[in-house]
Amino acid sequence: MKTIKNLLFSCISMSVMLISCNQKTAEPNTLSDKEQAEGWVLLFDGKSLDRWHVYNQTENNPAWVIKDGAIYCDPNNQSNKGDLVSNESYQNYEFQFDWKLEKEGNSGIFINVQEKPGIDATWQSGPEYQLLEDSHADFAIPQKKAGCLYTFLPQQNFVNTKSKGEWNRSKIIQKDGKVTFMLNDKITAEMDFNSDKWKNMVQQSHFKDFPEFGKNTSGKIALQDWSRGVSFRNLKIKTR
């Protein structure tokens, strides 16, 4: 009987240890031992914006703040705003991030952004991973739902965003110009930025007036400033 009790005690202790380990690795803005071994890098540690800056500016804008361990764009800040861009450029990578919006919120992630004085905004060069709260009026437009390649493709697989206040998890994978968007573990868009299909789509859109738009398969990542509050955390990247 004593042996059985000892065995049960050992099993319970092991379970508690496993739960503790899982809780530790689940803390936001951290990397697990496995992620570190796989080459993941944090782009936000929950404390500073050292890896980011406002597009075409040398200093960060006060509209972008750190709030409750997340990057938050304050919609009530009336300062001259701008999108937040990564300090580094990326080509072949897997980028993962959590996000949430306030009611009727709208934002986005731009990829392959070219930061140059002659390009006035991130969206003039970088295609957009759409972020949209389901209560927003644009939710009725197929090419503007969350996870879309904004204005170009409807969701490949329908995905609702999480309830207000809950975090969504997104992933962007790019390899040799072929990109995959994922939202809450479902693929929402796929495109080859080197393909004639993409080039034709751009030429038939209003982006045709911006010579750098969609022409690049490497560049910076940008978080869009918008009129409603948006929060980001767990921003991590693994280059290939």
Side-chain angles (χ1 to χ4, degrees):
M1 180 66 70
K2 186 174 182 180
T3 302
I4 294 174
K5 287 183 177 179
N6 289 340
L7 181 60
L8 287 172
F9 179 80
S10 297
C11 290
I12 292 170
S13 298
M14 184 62 71
S15 298
V16 171
M17 289 175 64
L18 289 172
I19 291 171
S20 298
C21 288
N22 288 336
Q23 288 176 339
K24 184 177 181 181
T25 56
E27 290 179 4
N29 309 313
T30 60
L31 295 175
S32 66
D33 292 340
K34 181 175 182 291
E35 287 174 321
Q36 292 181 53
E38 292 173 345
W40 287 89
V41 175
L42 279 178
L43 295 185
F44 174 60
D45 62 3
K47 302 174 183 177
S48 74
L49 296 174
D50 289 348
R51 290 181 174 271
W52 301 86
H53 63 277
V54 175
Y55 183 75
N56 274 343
Q57 297 182 32
T58 56
E59 297 181 359
N60 283 327
N61 191 288
W64 290 97
V65 298
I66 297 171
K67 180 180 179 182
D68 300 326
I71 299 174
Y72 177 67
C73 188
D74 184 357
N76 298 315
N77 192 305
Q78 299 303 311
S79 302
N80 180 30
K81 297 185 178 182
D83 295 345
L84 204 63
V85 297
S86 60
N87 293 343
E88 297 183 34
S89 294
Y90 302 96
Q91 183 172 16
N92 297 323
Y93 60 87
E94 185 172 338
F95 173 54
Q96 183 173 292
F97 58 99
D98 296 348
W99 60 276
K100 62 180 179 180
L101 289 161
E102 296 177 9
K103 186 177 180 181
E104 298 180 355
N106 184 357
S107 185
I109 299 286
F110 300 101
I111 60 173
N112 302 331
V113 171
Q114 307 301 300
E115 188 173 23
K116 301 176 184 178
I119 304 176
D120 295 333
T122 57
W123 58 265
Q124 293 180 8
S125 64
E128 180 181 355
Y129 180 114
Q130 167 78 325
L131 304 180
L132 194 77
E133 211 271 326
D134 287 6
S135 62
H136 194 284
D138 282 353
F139 183 76
I141 303 172
Q143 290 85 357
K144 292 188 177 181
K145 286 182 168 63
C148 284
L149 178 54
Y150 179 71
T151 74
F152 289 100
L153 296 172
Q155 282 183 343
Q156 187 167 317
N157 295 291
F158 178 75
V159 187
N160 276 117
T161 55
K162 298 291 183 67
S163 300
K164 182 183 176 182
E166 293 185 32
W167 291 95
N168 296 278
R169 174 150 295 182
S170 293
K171 186 180 291 186
I172 298 173
I173 303 169
Q174 182 168 266
K175 176 66 174 176
D176 298 330
K178 295 179 180 178
V179 69
T180 300
F181 289 172
M182 297 184 69
L183 171 60
N184 297 329
D185 299 321
K186 289 187 178 181
I187 293 176
T188 50
E190 293 177 291
M191 180 56 67
D192 183 351
F193 291 143
N194 292 311
S195 68
D196 290 337
K197 176 183 178 181
W198 171 246
K199 294 171 186 176
N200 290 335
M201 291 176 80
V202 172
Q203 285 303 308
Q204 294 173 23
S205 73
H206 71 277
F207 291 104
K208 68 180 183 298
D209 298 325
F210 301 96
E212 290 279 0
F213 180 82
K215 297 285 181 65
N216 300 280
T217 56
S218 66
K220 298 183 177 182
I221 296 169
L223 316 181
Q224 187 183 35
D225 171 14
W226 201 243
S227 58
R228 300 269 182 173
V230 57
S231 300
F232 299 95
R233 72 175 189 183
N234 286 332
L235 297 99
K236 57 188 72 172
I237 195 164
K238 179 174 66 174
T239 55
R240 296 167 172 240

